[in-house]
Every structure is written in structure tokens, then in C-alpha cells.
Amino acid sequence: MLIDVNYWAVAVATISTMVIGSIWYTPRVFGNYWMRVARVDAGDRSAVAPIVTTVIVSFISAWVLALATQVAWLAFGGSYLLLALLTGVLLWAGFTAARFITHDAFEGRPAGLTIVNIGHEFVTAVVMALIIGAWPPAGTV
């Protein structure tokens, strides 16, 4: 079985996570609440390391979503876009949301913070899935 990945779609999906995060966590959306409840102090620290880390982790997430979507499509066929969305939501629910909820419960974090963070991850997963699903590897669909 050959698992093809459209790396252009993965790159665009990676960039989309940065756009979503910069909107989601702005003061006008959830930024002020998130910073207060998560006890984040922007202060004088550099944002370079967190941004580089985010790009790397987002690329890995987009790549894994693209691989999982391709495997699902090879196994089940059908609409590539719908399979990408289903795969993205299932991966989000089974791994991202489940892990956030577990860790936040043990760390005693407020439920509102958990909801803000898993909401961000849900939107991110759906947008990445839309990009990957709408732009399958050449010759796939």
C-alpha cells in the first residue's frame, strides 16, 4: 500500500494553525481570558521559541492527519473531503480533547480554560481537515 501525502496541503494546513491561533488568542476573542486563567504573562519573554515549536508541532499534526486521511480513503473509499473531516474530528476527540480534559482535570484547571483550548484545537483540526480533504494527493481521487 502506498500512502501519498500532498505536502502543499500539509504546508497550507500548517500555516492555517498559525492564523487560527493568532485570531483565537487575541485579546478581542479569548486572549485576555486565556492569559488570566492560564496565568500566562506575556511580559518581556520572546515569542520566537513558542512560535517555532508551534510550527513544527503543527506540521507534524497536519502530516499525521494527511496520512490518516489517506489510509481511511484507501480502506473505505468515498469522498476524500468527508473522510478528512471525519478523520480530523475523530483524532481531535480521541487524542487532543481527551488528553486536554484528562490533564486539565488532574491539574485542577478551570473548565472554561479547557473549553477554550479544546475549542481552539477543534477549529484547528477542522480547518486542517478541510484543506487536506479539498486538496488530496495527485492521482488519489
Side-chain angles (χ1 to χ4, degrees), residues 101-128:
I101 292 166
T102 300
H103 286 279
D104 286 5
F106 274 97
E107 293 172 3
R109 290 181 176 237
L113 179 61
T114 304
I115 291 167
V116 165
N117 286 331
I118 65 174
H120 167 258
E121 295 299 325
F122 177 78
V123 171
T124 299
V126 167
V127 171
M128 284 195 310

Side-chain angles (χ1 to χ4, degrees), residues 15-26 54 120 124:
I15 293 166
S16 78
T17 68
M18 303 304 291
V19 172
I20 293 164
S22 36
I23 293 169
W24 192 270
Y25 290 108
T26 60
T54 301
H120 167 258
T124 299

Side-chain angles (χ1 to χ4, degrees), residues 54-110:
T54 301
V55 169
I56 292 167
V57 170
S58 294
F59 177 83
I60 293 167
S61 295
W63 180 67
V64 168
L65 178 55
L67 286 172
T69 299
Q70 182 70 0
V71 169
W73 183 78
L74 289 168
F76 303 113
S79 168
Y80 204 86
L81 178 60
L82 289 178
L83 278 172
L85 283 169
L86 180 61
T87 302
V89 169
L90 288 174
L91 290 173
W92 167 83
F95 292 98
T96 305
R99 301 307 339 144
F100 260 97
I101 292 166
T102 300
H103 286 279
D104 286 5
F106 274 97
E107 293 172 3
R109 290 181 176 237

